[in-house]
Amino acid sequence: MPNKAWELGFHLRSPRGWLNDPNGSCQFNGEYYVYYQYNDAWPKIDQKAWGLFVSRDLVHWRYEGMPIEPSIPEDRHGVYSGCTVVERGAGDDGADLLRAFYTGNVVCLDAGHNPKDVGRVYTGREAHEITCTSTDGIHFGTKTVLLRTQDYPDECSLHVRDPKVWRQDDSWYMLLGARHLRNHGMCLLYRSDDGLSWEFAHRIDSAYPFGYMWECPNIVQLDDGSEYLAFSPQGLPRMRDRWHNLCQAGYIPLPGRIVDTTVVDERDFVEWDHGHDFYAPQTFVDDQGRWILIGWLGGFDPHWACAPDGLAWCHCLTVPRLLRKDPASGHLLQTPVPELVALRGKKVTLVRGATAGISTRHADIVLEDIAGDGSITIDESLQVFFERQRLGIRYLVPQQAAGRDDRSIPLDSLRDLRILVDGSAVEVYANDGAQVFSSRWFPAEGTSLTIRTDLNVRVAQAWPMEDVLGNLYATAQAPSISQPGWNA
Ligand code: FRU
């Protein structure tokens, strides 16, 4: 039986069934909209739609069903990943309009498909870029097909998807993730005057092949002019300290602007997260001008179970993370949005060598001014450690890892840690978010947590976190879709 201790209190998951990539995250009419890849019929069939959560404050959410489902021939086997653009004043009476862009997935296994073409790279699929608009973010109008499989450059395989669209200098731009016929990943850049009629501008390649496919391209453009190209490459070989998951997610800091970039240096690729369960993140700018990232706290890795013991839901999203530039490295720091602090209950002070108790399964832990090696252990089961200049997480009770290995990365010194524990989801932020690990664990039954600190620190505190989503999951009715579908 699934264990209640695995339930999430402040991480978004689907009411039931499967969740993967966040899609179209934005702030629209003052509220935060987080769409996501949703298959409520999992594990019986694989048919993706966009599910939706909406929030005023990035902390309390309401579930709004599945606003975009397969409904036209061009998206009949899945409404795949994409983005939204808020069009200011473009609606009736000057209201804002939300425009969604996504890939319509079609599988054609009948005429002309070679069954040896595993993954339908050259035969057996179509990918169409589609747009539709909404005045409330929930009800979308007519779907318009913008680009069809035959419109992409000749050197593209059939894997082209995940539009990221934005407006800049009076133009609209669209990035697509793609797989070259010669089996390497790349991005395609398109330009448009109106967001509807698109012209191919150029490819963005790596100097040397870097994985066979780049999924979910994304951008970060900071006020100081720094630009970053983010994407999720598939097929990178596992190295000692890098690329330990089946697929990776990261970004490349650019010397110039994305729209002028044709080649990136793959040696500059920075992984967003070193945990077992992180992929396909998306970024957006909110009304305060903050760059926020939300990732899929999950992955396709067959090594680790994500829904053991008949759990009726699979995967969740990370908490929203604020992105800032680290002036020293030029890399992006990720920290949980400050709004999350609102969920903290009564503070517990942690004492080195002692075990403290937290009254729920949801906790926020902060350690500041750390000196030297040591560890912090949750429930005598999950350990975050810094030893001989390696920072990592370790599962002390193997079955609670559900197949996950211990993980660590080289790190010169550890200054601070922030650990979010939420049922079966854990996010570890180190050195002001310069290094992050997101992983799942499947602890034993229980309604409280223990925390044992064995680190020399100036400040060590923990808070129980309010469970703001449990009720929502209990009451949300997932609508069901009936057509058979297919895998990415
Ligand atoms: C990434 C991905 C995307 C695709 C979607 C389908 O996780 O494979 O490339 O659009 O998932 O659910």
Side-chain angles (χ1 to χ4, degrees):
M1 276 297 284
N3 179 336
K4 285 214 164 44
W6 303 343
E7 273 304 336
L8 310 174
F10 57 95
H11 280 79
L12 289 170
R13 67 160 172 85
S14 57
R16 68 156 191 259
W18 169 280
L19 164 152
N20 57 297
D21 319 352
N23 292 150
S25 333
C26 63
Q27 193 168 8
F28 175 56
N29 290 337
E31 294 198 295
Y32 292 95
Y33 283 67
V34 175
Y35 302 87
Y36 62 94
Q37 286 288 281
Y38 187 13
N39 173 17
D40 80 320
W42 169 90
K44 276 189 272 175
I45 56 171
D46 182 4
Q47 172 85 315
K48 302 286 168 54
W50 278 24
L52 172 63
F53 287 99
V54 182
S55 169
R56 274 190 192 290
D57 59 5
L58 288 173
V59 173
H60 300 88
W61 297 88
R62 51 180 206 275
Y63 171 65
E64 291 288 2
M66 292 199 280
I68 311 183
E69 294 188 57
S71 64
I72 56 172
E74 288 85 353
D75 67 10
R76 64 182 180 276
H77 298 131
V79 172
Y80 271 16
S81 283
C83 63
T84 57
V85 173
V86 178
E87 289 193 65
R88 303 271 172 223
D92 292 343
D93 304 326
D96 290 352
L97 202 64
L98 193 69
R99 180 174 288 283
F101 295 87
Y102 67 90
T103 302
N105 181 51
V106 178
V107 177
C108 354
L109 295 182
D110 38 12
H113 174 61
N114 176 0
K116 291 199 180 130
D117 181 7
V118 178
R120 304 186 306 275
V121 181
Y122 310 104
T123 60
R125 74 156 64 212
E126 293 169 9
H128 309 288
E129 308 317 325
I130 299 170
T131 189
C132 49
T133 59
S134 171
T135 51
D136 62 4
I138 297 171
H139 304 92
F140 282 83
T142 312
K143 296 175 175 178
T144 305
V145 181
L146 304 172
L147 293 169
R148 294 173 184 276
T149 307
Q150 55 273 24
D151 297 333
Y152 307 122
D154 292 346
E155 65 271 28
C156 290
S157 73
L158 296 180
H159 283 262
V160 179
R161 56 180 169 267
D162 308 335
K164 167 65 193 175
V165 178
W166 74 102
R167 295 171 81 170
Q168 179 179 329
D169 306 337
D170 298 329
S171 287
W172 292 67
Y173 290 97
M174 179 194 291
L175 273 176
L176 291 170
R179 178 171 178 162
H180 194 283
L181 276 177
R182 285 202 295 267
N183 254 332
H184 58 79
M186 59 185 179
C187 285
L188 308 177
L189 183 75
Y190 282 79
R191 203 200 68 81
S192 165
D193 286 328
D194 58 4
L196 297 173
S197 165
W198 292 88
E199 279 169 16
F200 176 62
H202 53 77
R203 288 183 0 217
I204 304 182
D205 289 306
S206 48
Y208 287 90
F210 191 62
Y212 60 75
M213 167 72 189
W214 294 359
E215 294 193 308
C216 301
N218 228 262
I219 61 166
V220 179
Q221 298 174 307
L222 301 182
D223 286 343
D224 72 353
S226 312
E227 302 207 4
Y228 303 79
L229 175 69
F231 55 100
S232 294
Q234 298 182 302
L236 301 182
R238 187 183 171 111
M239 315 280 263
R240 176 163 188 252
D241 291 322
R242 281 178 292 169
W243 311 336
H244 284 192
N245 294 341
L246 186 66
C247 306
Q248 320 306 322
Y251 62 86
I252 295 182
L254 300 179
R257 305 194 318 166
I258 292 162
V259 296
D260 302 324
T261 299
T262 52
V263 179
V264 291
D265 190 338
E266 70 288 346
R267 290 170 303 182
D268 295 337
F269 184 76
V270 183
E271 271 187 273
W272 287 113
D273 194 298
H274 307 283
H276 302 80
D277 300 87
F278 185 87
Y279 192 60
Q282 282 208 341
T283 60
F284 70 101
V285 192
D286 77 355
D287 292 349
Q288 300 170 50
R290 303 182 300 175
W291 279 89
I292 294 175
L293 174 143
I294 298 177
W296 175 23
L297 208 165
F300 296 116
D301 216 300
H303 302 302
W304 14 98
C306 294
D309 291 342
L311 203 60
W313 52 274
C314 195
H315 304 303
C316 62
L317 299 179
T318 65
V319 298
R321 300 174 178 176
L322 197 63
L323 297 180
R324 287 171 298 133
K325 179 175 169 179
D326 176 355
S329 64
H331 292 179
L332 293 165
L333 303 171
Q334 306 171 62
T335 45
V337 289
E339 283 90 333
L340 267 187
V341 165
L343 299 185
R344 287 178 176 171
K346 195 162 177 289
K347 185 169 80 188
V348 174
T349 301
L350 306 174
V351 178
R352 185 176 185 180
T355 299
I358 292 282
S359 55
T360 71
R361 299 294 309 182
H362 320 283
D364 186 354
I365 304 167
V366 170
L367 305 184
E368 285 169 14
D369 291 334
I370 300 174
D373 289 8
S375 63
I376 172 159
T377 309
I378 296 144
D379 258 14
E380 301 294 325
S381 163
L382 186 76
Q383 192 167 65
V384 177
F385 64 89
F386 182 64
E387 289 164 7
R388 293 185 300 277
Q389 294 192 306
R390 290 191 79 83
L391 171 72
I393 58 175
R394 183 179 282 146
Y395 293 92
L396 302 179
V397 182
Q399 61 271 34
Q400 296 182 7
R404 287 162 184 75
D405 50 355
D406 294 345
R407 274 290 164 86
S408 67
I409 52 160
L411 188 69
D412 287 345
S413 64
L414 178 65
R415 296 189 304 276
D416 56 74
L417 276 175
R418 171 107 182 253
I419 305 176
L420 300 177
V421 182
D422 186 19
S424 52
V426 179
E427 297 186 47
V428 178
Y429 297 82
N431 290 354
D432 200 20
Q435 309 295 342
V436 187
F437 290 73
S438 300
S439 289
R440 300 287 299 284
W441 68 315
F442 296 91
E445 298 268 356
T447 53
S448 57
L449 284 170
T450 63
I451 305 173
R452 184 184 165 83
T453 359
D454 189 12
L455 272 162
N456 193 356
V457 291
R458 186 178 57 83
V459 175
Q461 295 168 335
W463 294 262
M465 293 288 270
E466 195 185 332
D467 170 358
V468 275
L469 296 179
N471 277 341
L472 176 72
Y473 299 143
T475 51
Q477 288 298 310
S480 71
I481 45 179
S482 48
Q483 303 165 41
W486 311 87
N487 259 319

